[in-house]
Amino acid sequence: MQVWPGQAYPLGATYDGAGTNFAVFSEAAQRIELCLLHDDGSETAVELRESDAFVRHAYLPGIMPGQRYGFRVHGPYEPSRGHRCNSAKLLLDPYAKAVSGSIDWDEAVYGYHFGKPNERNDLDSAPHTMASVVINPYFDWGDDRPPRTDYHRTVLYEAHVKGLTMLHPALPEELRGTYAALAHPAIIEHLTELGVTALELMPVHQFVNDHRLVDVGLANYWGYNTIGFFAPHNAYASWGDRGQQVLEFKSAVRALHQAGIEVILDVVYNHTAEGNHLGPTLSFRGLDNTSYYRLTDDPRYYMDTTGTGNSLLMRSPHVLQLIMDSLRYWVTEMRVDGFRFDLAATLARQFHEVDRLSSFFDLVQQDPVVSQVKLIAEPWDVGEGGYQVGNFPPLWTEWNGMYRDTVRDLWRGEPRTLAEFASRLTGSSDLYQNDGRRPLASVNFVTCHDGFTLRDLVSYDKKHNEANGEGNRDGESHNRSWNCGAEGPTDDPGVLSLRARQQRNFIATLMLSQGVPMLSHGDEFGRTQQGNNNAYCQDNELSWVHWPSGGGGQAAQEHGDGQPSGGKRGRPKTGGARGGGRSADSTPEAPDRALLEFTRSMVWLRRDHPVFRRRRFFHGRPVEGTHDDLSDIAWFTPDGKEMTQRDWQAAHARSLAVFLNGSAISEPGARGERITDDSFLLLFNASDRDQDFTVPLDHGRQWQVVVDTARSEGIEPGSGRKVKAGDRLTLVDRSLTVLQRPG
């Protein structure tokens, strides 16, 4: 075999059409062997003799895509000094673009013997672990273009590759649960009809099923256990793991882009799947433990601000290079449109405390590729001072956990929530205005993968995680949920009616709020996890999306006359919102078609009206340059009078009205033109009693009801109720109504 010196950059395995260059970093290694793996279980070892700045490298002519490989590192094994090199362990390339196989959790993948953590284990791990794969980087993207949807037009849809597609009735069985399923017309049709502009995928970086979960018959379903930051997870590929997963993922991105849908990846750069000091030796630990991980004062152990056993060393230039190279790769080669950073506060821990000015954010800010895509932070971790909502740099948007908590509290009837609810509804200026950010910094959500689904939020007071095998001790205990009068499934029509109304309240509130709305997959038709609020280990029908018969597309939503309920791309014909009672076949466990129809209508109402997706905060006064002497926003008590400080602080107050002036939008359009819209009056009654509202006298003579979450029938412009200034409307308990006045 010919071995040429090769190059130290780029890291990883790079195929150029004639052979492959291999390069790997390790400051701890004394020698590194590149092991080419053969299908008969044998391997060919090639020592990487060339070294530049601790990067060992070689070029091998004739090595083609599909070749499996790994590294063996000869170096110090001194856990007391933080070193854990062991040439008996076949290591994954940190820059591997594809990974083949899985781990069978034999004792050989560990650096110690079971029951003897201080005794070195020299068993060969190669037959029991995964292998890196050389890939073909070439792909026909055709005329693919990133949608580049502005934040104010974005509707996020958080989804799991397998969970979203595994049970879809229109998908061929061999495609279900795969990247190819995301590209199937049935999935794309559902997303476009719903009005989704961005698919936020739960982790697709190569991850590992934890040993503990496998032993008890469970799995790491969510995937927050990354081992390969460049490789698409191989179990989501429908036709092979020797590089086919890369082509399949790219094909899915291309198809989604053609439909105008962005692809955003949930990425886990805060830790790896190697766990704590008792975890396996799979890659980073065996290459250079002290360069990749944060160790404690006793270097045998790992600093853990993630709750997973370890944290990456964010002040290491090699870790920062790995993360930035990974991000750029996914943008330039895989063509994704942005990232949601899991436990992003850990990325800011350059030393101990969370540092907004840490090196990671400096690198992102100046990077000409990464800085131009959507960057969404989960702004917390489990370490001290880890809750950082509102504290990320101006380039970033954030999952707004305060929005989630406040909206849940309002609709379950908590006292003294009106003032904070007003802030959350209008874009959370208290969190984002002082540092130059705008309402679009707030990613608003009521539910996500972590916690109750929307249906479960209104069906359970307590978590029911017994299936996870941890005695119901795992998962959040304070969910701000309310079961509406019965715990779990029930046949009580009053409870079911209230639950349906509460789900509509949450969906409507989300779509009427300033900021960027995010839906969790399946919530649009009432997905349930039977009260499990921590289904991270449930890779089964408990967590997979159960679709309406027909799959939830237009064809499945026909009225009695056989005509589809939506217009072009699923847009409701009316442009208004439909009420959502339960359909005749909607049992407590069945998908709720009426809720799906209501959700679609609310998304399209938002998309049709710029007053609900402003790019600047409200001023609370008339806007200069307009011909309207009314304030851009005004708040009213149910009797039609403007709110006073006393009204905001009243413990018993759970109802209010807000006027949104469509003639007083301060930001200009794309060509500098003035933006105008209809005006809206939003009436919220979160109390447990019916509430009379008086339409304010000076903010419009005539209005029309376009949303009423208390009604089960649809309401369309032209047939909705007409009301005049001074009229009184009765809102039933826990409902909201939207009035529209033409601009």
Side-chain angles (χ1 to χ4, degrees), residues 482-511:
W482 178 49
N483 65 19
C484 297
E487 188 74 357
T490 181
D491 294 324
D492 187 316
V495 172
L496 293 177
S497 176
L498 179 55
R499 288 177 179 177
R501 188 158 73 249
Q502 286 284 69
Q503 290 178 82
R504 294 193 292 273
N505 289 335
F506 283 122
I507 293 293
T509 303
L510 180 64
M511 293 303 157

Side-chain angles (χ1 to χ4, degrees), residues 193-399:
E193 288 182 2
L194 188 58
V196 167
T197 69
L199 184 62
E200 183 177 305
L201 293 175
M202 291 173 66
V204 299
H205 286 176
Q206 184 68 48
F207 62 86
V208 171
N209 275 315
D210 312 53
H211 192 169
R212 178 187 67 84
L213 293 176
V214 172
D215 280 351
V216 296
L218 298 172
N220 192 315
Y221 168 66
W222 284 352
Y224 293 94
N225 204 31
T226 305
I227 197 61
F229 295 105
F230 293 78
H233 186 59
N234 56 22
Y236 297 155
S238 64
W239 52 292
D241 68 357
R242 298 286 185 94
Q244 294 94 333
Q245 61 265 55
V246 178
L247 301 177
E248 191 171 324
F249 182 87
K250 289 179 177 179
S251 296
V253 172
R254 183 177 60 190
L256 288 160
H257 281 182
Q258 288 173 349
I261 299 172
E262 294 183 307
V263 178
I264 295 174
L265 301 188
D266 193 336
V267 290
V268 190
Y269 293 114
N270 51 73
H271 74 281
T272 80
E274 290 185 302
N276 63 16
H277 63 289
L278 298 177
T281 299
L282 305 174
S283 179
F284 309 93
R285 173 175 284 143
L287 279 164
D288 195 333
N289 191 53
T290 59
S291 290
Y292 281 112
Y293 292 115
R294 293 190 68 188
L295 305 180
T296 65
D297 292 339
D298 182 343
R300 291 176 297 174
Y301 305 110
Y302 296 81
M303 187 78 73
D304 179 16
T305 58
T306 64
T308 61
N310 66 56
S311 301
L312 284 170
L313 183 62
M314 295 306 299
R315 64 176 178 270
S316 164
H318 304 289
V319 169
L320 292 171
Q321 181 186 7
L322 172 80
I323 295 173
M324 296 306 298
D325 285 349
S326 170
L327 292 170
R328 277 192 297 271
Y329 173 78
W330 285 94
V331 175
T332 59
E333 297 298 318
M334 308 296 267
R335 300 208 179 182
V336 303
D337 305 283
F339 305 94
R340 178 265 189 189
F341 292 80
D342 177 66
L343 301 182
T346 291
L347 303 177
R349 292 184 185 273
Q350 191 163 343
F351 295 98
H352 172 71
E353 70 284 352
V354 176
D355 181 4
R356 172 176 168 169
L357 301 178
S358 72
S359 298
F360 172 69
F361 296 112
D362 291 343
L363 290 171
V364 170
Q365 181 73 35
Q366 61 80 42
D367 191 278
V369 174
V370 179
S371 65
Q372 298 306 302
V373 300
K374 288 184 168 67
L375 302 171
I376 305 170
E378 181 186 36
W380 50 77
D381 65 14
V382 300
E384 181 181 357
Y387 193 75
Q388 294 291 319
V389 173
N391 291 332
F392 276 70
L395 191 64
W396 292 67
T397 61
E398 301 175 11
W399 272 25

Side-chain angles (χ1 to χ4, degrees), residues 433-459:
Q433 190 169 28
N434 291 338
D435 62 2
R437 287 193 283 176
R438 294 188 171 173
L440 302 171
S442 178
V443 173
N444 300 328
F445 66 104
V446 177
T447 58
C448 63
H449 70 273
D450 191 359
F452 282 142
T453 67
L454 182 62
R455 179 182 287 198
D456 290 353
L457 183 68
V458 301
S459 303

